[in-house]
Amino acid sequence: MVASVGVISLGVSLPSMFCLPRIGFTKRRPFVMAALSDDPVQEWILTEGKATQITGIRPVGGGCINLASCYETDAGSFFVKTNGSIGPSMFEAEAIGLDAMYETRTIRVPKPYKVGPLRNSGSFIIMEFIEFGASRSNQAELGRKLAEMHKAGKSEKGFGFPVNNTVGSTPQINTWCSDWIQFYGEQRLGYQLKLAQDQCGDSTIYQRGQRLIKNMAPLFENIVIEPCLLHGDLWSGNITSDKNGEPVILDPACYYGHNEAEFGMSWCAGFGGSFYNSYFEVMPKQPGFEKRRDLYLLYHYLNHYNLFGSGYRSSAISIIDDYLRMLNV
């Protein structure tokens, strides 16, 4: 999601109907022992985080939704995000996504440690602090590692995710579904089209988009679609590298979906030939990949239209109209 740029700003997830064990976090000050009961972030760092002293707190880029800080301690550094107005569900969903990616043991992501409520209002998340390197990432290695995550992260429940989350600040519904075309049509394109109609009064894009959804099945003929763990919002602001040059991905909007949907933000991710070549060595390209590519861009163009306005409408409606002509409907 282009608007949520951050140095180590992890993804935003919306309140979910599923409540998992809470992982906690709040803003701390260098002098900690006197105020533990007032600051759950410091409290966790000085107990479960195994630190005895917080030696410094410095702000880092956290995007436009949350505040982000690095807590430096005698037990290492911790990355902390806080939001003063949203409850823990948002960060819980983010932590679940990060943990799912982390458990594949493929591409590097920050390990989540704790999520919880702030004392008065709002919430926090504490996670591993990753020191970034000078370059964004090695494209070939990024493609290979991402494909390995898609190959390792499978779901027996179908397409969806245990919790709803957000893409940027837009709710992303992840109710389990056994059919990918139905899932993508209803919970991805359909949801965004309804937002465009309700928020922007755009009945034209809604009606044309619904025609596309009802007629897009031929684009998926002769392929087998397995649910793969997706980052879900993979653009350049969410891709970096650690100090050893290994790719790191941040700010997820995770769900299990068709692996090709991961490239939906490629229009601002900068994926090059070496990325795709390495990716397809691990996850072979399926027939019709090029015909489906813009269908996955459409979800994110619609989301940007709903979030940031009419500047993205022309790209979205152009994709819809091109598919209606291609499908002759």
Side-chain angles (χ1 to χ4, degrees), residues 271-328:
F271 298 144
S274 62
F275 169 86
Y276 286 108
N277 289 340
S278 294
Y279 181 89
F280 289 130
E281 286 178 3
V282 179
M283 292 284 287
K285 184 190 294 188
Q286 293 182 301
F289 169 78
E290 286 78 11
K291 289 184 178 180
R292 290 184 296 274
R293 183 184 298 214
D294 284 357
L295 192 68
Y296 293 130
L297 302 184
L298 179 58
Y299 172 60
H300 293 278
Y301 275 124
L302 286 169
N303 187 43
H304 279 66
Y305 174 35
N306 287 318
L307 287 173
F308 308 121
S310 59
Y312 294 94
R313 184 183 187 275
S314 61
S315 296
I317 197 93
S318 176
I319 289 174
I320 292 171
D321 287 344
D322 285 347
Y323 274 115
L324 293 179
R325 284 191 292 270
M326 178 194 301
L327 296 165
N328 195 27

Side-chain angles (χ1 to χ4, degrees), residues 200-243:
C200 309
D202 197 336
S203 58
T204 298
I205 202 168
Y206 176 80
Q207 291 168 2
R208 293 185 193 176
Q210 287 296 329
R211 278 171 55 202
L212 171 58
I213 291 171
K214 291 174 184 176
N215 292 279
M216 67 183 184
L219 298 170
F220 298 91
E221 289 178 347
N222 302 317
I223 63 170
V224 176
I225 303 174
E226 296 183 354
C228 298
L229 178 62
L230 307 182
H231 174 282
D233 191 15
L234 201 60
W235 68 287
S236 59
N238 292 340
I239 303 168
T240 186
S241 61
D242 64 18
K243 62 183 180 181

Side-chain angles (χ1 to χ4, degrees), residues 29-276:
R29 297 161 193 137
F31 308 102
V32 291
M33 299 302 285
L36 289 184
S37 61
D38 297 326
D39 190 341
V41 172
Q42 288 189 180
E43 184 175 343
W44 185 90
I45 289 174
L46 294 172
T47 53
E48 295 180 61
K50 297 183 170 46
T52 61
Q53 183 182 13
I54 296 174
T55 58
I57 301 174
R58 57 184 173 86
V60 296
C64 58
I65 299 172
N66 306 300
L67 296 176
S69 303
C70 174
Y71 281 64
E72 297 167 341
T73 80
D74 58 351
S77 298
F78 297 89
F79 180 74
V80 177
K81 288 198 299 183
T82 59
N83 188 298
S85 59
I86 299 176
S89 314
M90 178 186 73
F91 287 138
E92 284 172 354
E94 176 179 356
I96 294 164
L98 287 170
D99 193 59
M101 293 192 296
Y102 185 88
E103 288 302 317
T104 66
R105 300 294 193 269
T106 54
I107 196 165
R108 189 171 186 189
V109 300
K111 181 175 177 58
Y113 296 136
K114 181 70 176 175
V115 170
L118 296 173
R119 283 291 180 250
N120 296 317
S121 66
S123 55
F124 67 87
I125 181 171
I126 304 172
M127 65 188 79
E128 174 189 8
F129 180 84
I130 297 177
E131 185 177 348
F132 294 158
S135 63
R136 198 187 108 196
S137 70
N138 178 293
Q139 285 276 298
E141 186 70 0
L142 174 64
R144 183 177 67 82
K145 292 283 191 179
L146 186 66
E148 288 174 354
M149 184 184 84
H150 290 167
K151 194 170 185 177
K154 300 298 184 181
S155 166
E156 296 180 355
K157 294 184 177 181
F159 304 98
F161 205 57
V163 294
N164 296 330
N165 47 32
T166 61
V167 54
S169 59
T170 305
Q172 185 166 260
I173 308 304
N174 295 314
T175 305
W176 293 109
C177 180
S178 61
D179 183 86
W180 170 249
I181 299 174
Q182 179 184 349
F183 177 89
Y184 192 68
E186 294 178 359
Q187 300 189 46
R188 292 297 179 263
L189 296 183
Y191 187 88
Q192 293 286 349
L193 290 166
K194 187 66 164 58
L195 281 181
Q197 182 182 54
D198 294 347
Q199 295 181 173
C200 309
D202 197 336
S203 58
T204 298
I205 202 168
Y206 176 80
Q207 291 168 2
R208 293 185 193 176
Q210 287 296 329
R211 278 171 55 202
L212 171 58
I213 291 171
K214 291 174 184 176
N215 292 279
M216 67 183 184
L219 298 170
F220 298 91
E221 289 178 347
N222 302 317
I223 63 170
V224 176
I225 303 174
E226 296 183 354
C228 298
L229 178 62
L230 307 182
H231 174 282
D233 191 15
L234 201 60
W235 68 287
S236 59
N238 292 340
I239 303 168
T240 186
S241 61
D242 64 18
K243 62 183 180 181
N244 297 318
E246 289 295 310
V248 179
I249 55 177
L250 315 165
D251 285 348
C254 287
Y255 65 100
Y256 291 93
H258 187 194
N259 66 300
E260 294 175 8
E262 192 76 284
F263 310 133
M265 283 290 288
S266 60
W267 49 280
C268 55
F271 298 144
S274 62
F275 169 86
Y276 286 108

